[in-house]
Amino acid sequence: MATGSAYDGILASFAEFDNNGWHQVGLPAVVDTRVISYDEKASPETMTLGVCVDSSQVNVVTAEGTVIRAGTSSDRALNLLTMTRNDAGAWLVSKLSFPDNSDC
């Protein structure tokens, strides 16, 4: 689940794929997850996760079946997820970013 700029980014990505008639074949895999920071006193409570995502098995394909982006063995990236706890106690991704060196 997402909120804020992370939610807006997901909607923009869906719109781009829909407008261009693209779809994704294959699934990314989470290779590693670490808590980078945690602030229980923030309002709302927040934490930042470092998530290594392997997209080597993911291809982006047109409606005609043409691969416009093929996954490669080096397709791993460190994603920084800012998480916020909502009033119901669920953690939501509120921001997605990447460090200067996103190797993982």
Side-chain angles (χ1 to χ4, degrees):
M1 295 178 50
T3 189
S5 66
Y7 180 77
D8 293 341
I10 292 167
L11 289 181
S13 183
F14 282 144
E16 178 183 24
F17 272 62
D18 186 50
N19 289 337
N20 290 298
W22 301 340
H23 63 278
Q24 178 177 301
V25 176
L27 296 172
V30 173
V31 178
D32 186 45
T33 303
R34 300 167 195 230
V35 175
I36 300 205
S37 65
Y38 174 63
D39 188 351
E40 65 186 36
K41 295 180 182 179
S43 182
E45 190 175 357
T46 63
M47 79 169 103
T48 301
L49 301 176
V51 181
C52 180
V53 178
D54 180 343
S55 298
S56 62
Q57 301 301 308
V58 176
N59 293 330
V60 177
V61 181
T62 66
E64 295 77 30
T66 303
V67 175
I68 60 170
R69 188 208 169 279
T72 67
S73 61
S74 63
D75 283 341
R76 283 187 175 201
L78 181 62
N79 293 246
L80 300 176
L81 304 180
T82 301
M83 310 289 293
T84 55
R85 193 185 296 257
N86 69 10
D87 292 339
W91 288 99
L92 304 175
V93 178
S94 57
K95 181 181 175 188
L96 170 63
S97 60
F98 302 91
D100 290 337
N101 178 1
S102 63
D103 293 341
C104 62

